[in-house]
Amino acid sequence: MERFFSALQAILNGVLTGSLYALIGMGMALIFGVMRIVNFAHGAFMMVGMYVTYLLFQGAGLNPYFGFIGSAMFLFLLGYLFYRGLLKPIRGRSDFMQILLTLGFGLILTDGIQLLFGADYHQINLPLLGKNLRLGSQISLNAPWLISFGIALMLGALLYFFVMHTMLGRAARAIAQNRYAAPLMGINVDRVQALSFGIGVAAAGVAGGLLLPVFYLYPTVGDQFTLKAFVMVVLGGMGSIQGAAMAGLVLGVVENLTSLYWGNEWALAVDFVIFLSVLSLRPSGIFGSQRV
Amino acid sequence: MRRAQLLIAILFLILGLAAPLVVRSDYLFQVLFRVFLFAALGLAWNLVGGYAGQLSLGHAAYFGAGAYGLAVFSKAGIHPWLALLLGVLLAVLFAALIGGVSFRLRGPYFTLATIAFAEVLRVAAKNLAAVTGGDVGLQVPGLFVKSSGRSLYLAAVLLTAVALCITAWVSRSKFGYYLMAIREDEDTALSVGVNATRCKLRALLISAALTALGGGLYGSLFLFIVPDQVLSIDISSEMAIVAMLGGAGTFLGPLIGSVILESAAELLKNIFHEAHLLIYGLLIVLVVLFLPEGIAGTLAHRLRRKSAIAAPPFKAPGPVSS
């Protein structure tokens, strides 16, 4: 019984962690899955979101659960400008150029933040942090994680709605299907892509803001999330927003179970082993039906 | 043109061999060691990433295998040089495994798969403390007993020479042409009977062996290795950037790239201290935006245009990406 409850606890914690992963993954699904931009700066963007939320908290006393909105707006603008200024000029070139460009930009962001704020670890203190929701005698859920879970769920649904049911989202998917036919249908490719890139990055910014209360903050905090975001997109099936969200939840649960049975340090390796198996055995992803 | 390139390479190697006669400072030796080491590594990466067009960002796996092979096997009582050889074998084994899985993938999927493999190895090396020492690290024996820094430097020059010879062979052999055909259009290459999988795998095995030798030299210079250093994605991306900066798929490119990048990195570290990564990132962004073919590639382009000024150069239509 003891074992059952500890496993159940790990699974529930995994779902809570996974909801934030899902947000990061959905942003990447829009950028990499739909728009085919290999964005190696995704984690760095998320890290910037954490710092924005942190500054809003320290400077203006704004609670991170509202501060993430500021982070989203800032990141949207940053992503929009990044696409317009740097990505657009190399759009027709090979994927590897995008990889190098985004890697380089990620370095600029990470080292820039380190120059501005130092390499120290920061953490914020909310009275909420110690609160838990107890379910029965064995299971307890941490309050800040629950709140971010709720927010992530809502924003994830919003992002899904945006991609699947708005004009802009349709246009983004149309460009993904055929980059040459889309402009003939009256789609302003550059505008749509810049906006979608901004929105994808803003999703990472939101996740950063929501992670702030429960995570240490340091300049390279985002690095691990870049690769995880790619794992989620491939796991969920290229171009599938809901697939990436599901993959985020799965990743959260798998990581927590790995931590429980093998130790936290193996979690990342398990992520990548799953990733490699999916890539080689089922390249369309677990939840996806096809490659767009 | 070809002969000029070969001459430049030979001149470069002679200068490298003659440097110990002039250079006295240990610091300068370390910088020169890095220049030649990364020239060799860039050349190794170039075989797969440049000539075959398979853009790996997981070469740290082979680099780490070389360094850890040397350390682990010699700890078990094997002679360092034999241990280094076993490390190279280990890297080749990894390459066969990694290539077998990831060469079925194309474009960014291939790149992501190579990263994932290297990361799995890094995490494994961090956690298998009984073998690798984990995060604490592992001592590496010196490969040379006498004047180790100087000898290791000369070994790096030698490794660059070997890598240059292999590159020279690849760039004008049938095997090399197969690789380039695969790079330009894999499906067409397949349709005319090129065994793409075998060619790519063979290139990767050679590349991995060279990279592992480089990893062994690196470990032997610092005498101590940790997973986050020799197996990190930074090593992989530095190898790729050296080759891309100089010109991927060119004979001299990685050489030029390494001279510029490594000396620039060293200067930046001394001038800007903490900001050097920022400048480094800026450098990458600028190269991608303004020198997409690398320095050697752009130069070759210019020269070709000058010599064929009457006839406008035929530009093959690029592959249409969906």
Side-chain angles (χ1 to χ4, degrees), chain B residues 56 58-67 87 91-92 94-95 98-99 204 207-209 211-212 215 231:
Chain B
S56 153
H59 264 57
Y62 319 125
F63 188 84
V92 170
F94 282 154
I98 295 173
L204 183 67
S207 172
T211 309
L231 284 163

Side-chain angles (χ1 to χ4, degrees), chain A residues 40 86 93 95-97 99-101 104 107-108 111-112 115 227 230 238 265-266 268-269 272 275-276 279-280, chain B residues 55 57 101 105 108-109 111-113 115-116 119-120 123 127 244 274-275 277-278 280-282 284-285 288-289 292:
Chain A
F40 267 86
L86 296 175
R93 305 229 198 97
D95 292 323
F96 203 67
M97 287 295 162
I99 294 179
L100 284 181
L101 185 80
L107 270 181
I108 294 174
D111 207 47
L115 281 175
L227 293 175
F230 280 117
M238 283 298 282
E265 61 277 10
W266 283 104
L268 196 61
F272 288 131
F275 174 64
L276 287 169
L279 262 186
S280 48
Chain B
L55 302 157
L57 274 181
V101 174
L105 306 164
Y109 302 100
T111 307
L112 286 171
I115 296 176
E119 283 290 291
V120 169
V123 175
N127 294 326
M244 305 284 292
E274 277 178 40
L277 278 178
L278 190 140
Y280 189 69
L282 214 59
I284 298 171
V285 169
V288 170
L289 287 178

Side-chain angles (χ1 to χ4, degrees), chain B:
Chain B
M1 186 64 200
R2 269 277 158 72
R3 189 161 295 170
Q5 286 187 5
L6 216 56
L7 275 175
I8 294 175
I10 291 170
L11 198 71
F12 187 75
L13 288 173
I14 291 174
L15 277 178
L17 288 174
L21 301 175
V22 192
V23 177
R24 287 278 168 265
S25 97
D26 278 344
Y27 168 71
L28 213 54
F29 256 116
Q30 237 183 58
V31 177
L32 284 174
F33 173 79
R34 262 192 97 88
V35 169
F36 276 97
L37 180 73
F38 272 94
L41 292 174
L43 284 162
W45 185 89
N46 197 27
L47 295 175
V48 181
Y51 285 101
Q54 307 298 313
L55 302 157
S56 153
L57 274 181
H59 264 57
Y62 319 125
F63 188 84
Y68 268 103
L70 171 60
V72 170
F73 289 120
S74 58
K75 203 175 80 177
I78 297 170
H79 188 272
W81 283 99
L82 202 62
L84 178 63
L85 211 66
L86 288 174
V88 172
L89 268 178
L90 189 69
V92 170
L93 216 69
F94 282 154
L97 181 74
I98 295 173
V101 174
S102 32
F103 277 141
R104 286 195 277 165
L105 306 164
R106 291 187 188 180
Y109 302 100
F110 171 79
T111 307
L112 286 171
T114 56
I115 296 176
F117 264 114
E119 283 290 291
V120 169
L121 287 180
R122 183 179 65 88
V123 175
K126 274 164 85 90
N127 294 326
L128 297 171
V131 186
T132 62
D135 269 328
V136 180
L138 199 59
Q139 264 193 331
V140 189
L143 283 167
F144 300 95
V145 187
K146 272 204 300 193
S147 60
S148 171
R150 195 149 306 184
S151 312
L152 277 170
Y153 163 74
L154 288 176
V157 178
L158 201 69
L159 187 62
T160 307
V162 172
L164 274 170
C165 288
I166 292 175
T167 307
W169 166 67
V170 164
S171 69
R172 55 179 65 189
S173 71
K174 206 169 179 182
F175 171 58
Y177 290 131
Y178 284 164
L179 291 181
M180 289 180 247
I182 293 167
R183 174 186 68 197
E184 294 307 325
D185 190 338
E186 185 159 349
D187 293 318
T188 310
L190 282 171
S191 73
V192 294
V194 174
N195 188 341
T197 314
R198 203 168 64 192
C199 285
K200 287 191 285 189
L201 200 60
R202 203 185 286 170
L204 183 67
L205 295 185
I206 300 170
S207 172
L210 286 171
T211 309
L213 284 170
L217 294 183
Y218 181 90
S220 188
L221 183 79
F222 291 102
L223 299 174
F224 201 79
I225 46 173
V226 289
D228 284 342
Q229 177 195 15
V230 293
L231 284 163
S232 78
I233 188 173
D234 296 344
I235 295 278
S236 309
S237 56
E238 193 163 347
M239 288 173 73
I241 289 164
V242 158
M244 305 284 292
L245 173 67
T250 62
F251 174 64
L252 282 179
L255 221 58
I256 300 170
S258 179
V259 171
I260 291 178
L261 194 77
E262 293 309 319
S263 45
E266 208 56 43
L267 278 176
L268 293 176
K269 247 181 246 173
N270 291 336
I271 300 171
F272 296 103
H273 303 286
E274 277 178 40
H276 75 273
L277 278 178
L278 190 140
I279 313 265
Y280 189 69
L282 214 59
L283 201 71
I284 298 171
V285 169
L286 290 177
V287 167
V288 170
L289 287 178
F290 301 110
L291 281 174
E293 288 174 81
I295 295 165
T298 311
L299 270 179
H301 213 84
R302 285 268 165 81
L303 287 175
R304 226 175 295 139
R305 213 166 5 177
K306 222 175 244 172
S307 62
I309 207 133
F314 171 72
K315 193 169 181 312
V320 178
S321 51
S322 55

Side-chain angles (χ1 to χ4, degrees), chain A residues 73-86:
Chain A
M73 291 191 313
F74 182 80
L75 264 292
F76 173 77
L77 205 67
L78 187 64
Y80 183 86
L81 293 176
F82 174 64
Y83 183 86
R84 282 268 152 150
L86 296 175

Side-chain angles (χ1 to χ4, degrees), chain A residues 100-120:
Chain A
L100 284 181
L101 185 80
T102 49
L103 263 181
F105 193 71
L107 270 181
I108 294 174
L109 288 180
T110 311
D111 207 47
I113 289 282
Q114 180 164 338
L115 281 175
L116 287 174
F117 303 104
D120 300 338

